[in-house]
Amino acid sequence: MGLLSWLFEGRGFGLEELARRLGVDREKLARVEPRYHEFTVPKRSGGTRRILAPDAELKSLQRRILRRLLTRLRAHPAAMGFERGRSIVTNARAHRQQAVVLRFDLKDFFPSTGARRLKKYFRRIGWNRPATKWLLRLCTHRGGLPQGAPTSPRLSNLVNYRLDARLAGMARKLDAVYTRYADDITISFNRDDPEKTHYFQRFVRRVVEAEGYRLHGRKKLSVRRRHHRQVVNGLVVNDRVNLPRPVRRWLRAVEHRTRTNQPTMLSSYEPLSPTPRKQPTLTPTQLEGWRALQAMIAQQGRKK
């Protein structure tokens, strides 16, 4: 590499290598115009969530980036969402039979995972400035990760390795357990020590703010002791990992009506929500989804 190229482009792999790894022509890569379709979906907790769905061409490239560039990179072991071999069940399992379970919720998680942090990450893993610029163009939108892009979940774990490492390190010092599932942070203690729990709450706030995030208000902070129903990702963890009792009763009623060929005109549940919601009917696909979740809980929930 010449001196001028090094000064302007920096060290690392360039656009030619990026195009080669993605299996596309460099000129075609340069012609891609990122476009997203924006819509909203209801949240389980109320309100709506904004989704940015990439168009077909961009989505195809993002999937190639995910498979060919990001899959083998290492996320922190405490990151439970969107990682192979990890799930809501393995996340919940880490906090079963604990004296205290704390849950925090990061506000606007994907949009708040900023392009500046991603730029530093791409440079650190070996891409030069022009290649990093193109990766940012393909993987970010309006300065953050678009919720709806195939690359966003994996990138959110990779770029948050330091956040996870800091919180996991403090958890070890305080004899606690830390995990993160996307924007849900969970910390549990095997002994109820108010001094430790209060300190960790303050520490979590400092760390997430240092990484560019904000916590939801106190209403979103959950502190659950053994005499409470301790819930992680919608699963009860007081004893063994399981669905909440009202959901299990509702599912038994649905299965009974299905076996006896009765219409499933019941109050329906949003997945992993203990609150019933009126819905005209439960489709066969929805029922199969609930059965798959129950099977996953049975398979993974009892492992150590």
Side-chain angles (χ1 to χ4, degrees), residues 26 28 36 62 65 83 111 132 140 185 187 197 223 259 264:
R26 177 173 171 173
K28 180 182 177 181
Y36 292 87
Q62 289 172 340
I65 291 170
E83 296 293 322
T132 293
T140 65
I185 289 174
I187 296 152
T197 58
V223 181
R259 287 194 302 270
T264 54

Side-chain angles (χ1 to χ4, degrees), residues 92 153 286:
Q286 290 172 322

Side-chain angles (χ1 to χ4, degrees), residues 232-300:
V232 177
N233 290 128
L235 303 176
V236 179
V237 297
N238 293 69
D239 183 17
R240 60 189 179 90
V241 178
N242 211 341
L243 290 167
R245 186 175 298 170
V247 180
R248 299 200 306 272
R249 288 174 177 168
W250 170 76
L251 280 171
R252 285 197 295 269
V254 171
E255 292 287 6
H256 172 73
R257 285 174 172 253
T258 301
R259 287 194 302 270
T260 56
N261 294 319
Q262 299 180 55
T264 54
M265 299 292 287
L266 298 169
S267 296
S268 183
Y269 282 86
E270 285 293 322
L272 307 182
S273 172
T275 306
R277 183 175 69 88
K278 291 293 183 181
Q279 185 171 322
T281 185
L282 195 66
T283 67
T285 300
Q286 290 172 322
L287 182 56
E288 283 304 313
W290 279 107
R291 288 169 176 166
L293 176 60
Q294 288 178 300
M296 185 170 67
I297 293 169
Q299 181 183 12
Q300 300 179 1

Side-chain angles (χ1 to χ4, degrees), residues 140-296:
T140 65
H141 183 68
R142 298 174 186 168
L145 290 176
Q147 185 160 354
T151 45
S152 293
R154 184 79 175 118
L155 281 171
S156 72
N157 283 345
L158 295 172
V159 80
N160 278 308
Y161 193 101
R162 184 173 63 180
L163 180 149
D164 292 329
R166 292 182 68 185
L167 294 179
M170 181 57 69
R172 285 193 297 271
K173 290 181 181 178
L174 299 181
D175 196 24
V177 177
Y178 161 77
T179 63
R180 180 181 58 81
Y181 193 99
D183 56 355
D184 289 328
I185 289 174
T186 307
I187 296 152
S188 59
F189 298 83
N190 59 15
R191 290 191 302 117
D192 190 353
D193 185 332
E195 185 176 347
K196 285 184 178 181
T197 58
H198 291 153
Y199 175 81
F200 215 146
Q201 288 179 44
R202 295 192 298 270
F203 183 75
V204 168
R205 188 172 297 277
R206 291 200 304 270
V207 170
V208 300
E209 288 179 355
E211 298 296 329
Y213 298 109
R214 290 181 297 159
L215 293 175
H216 275 285
R218 291 186 178 274
K219 290 183 179 180
K220 290 282 189 174
L221 169 64
S222 172
V223 181
R224 295 288 177 176
R225 292 176 167 82
R226 289 291 294 174
H227 61 280
H228 299 125
R229 186 174 66 178
Q230 297 170 328
V231 178
V232 177
N233 290 128
L235 303 176
V236 179
V237 297
N238 293 69
D239 183 17
R240 60 189 179 90
V241 178
N242 211 341
L243 290 167
R245 186 175 298 170
V247 180
R248 299 200 306 272
R249 288 174 177 168
W250 170 76
L251 280 171
R252 285 197 295 269
V254 171
E255 292 287 6
H256 172 73
R257 285 174 172 253
T258 301
R259 287 194 302 270
T260 56
N261 294 319
Q262 299 180 55
T264 54
M265 299 292 287
L266 298 169
S267 296
S268 183
Y269 282 86
E270 285 293 322
L272 307 182
S273 172
T275 306
R277 183 175 69 88
K278 291 293 183 181
Q279 185 171 322
T281 185
L282 195 66
T283 67
T285 300
Q286 290 172 322
L287 182 56
E288 283 304 313
W290 279 107
R291 288 169 176 166
L293 176 60
Q294 288 178 300
M296 185 170 67

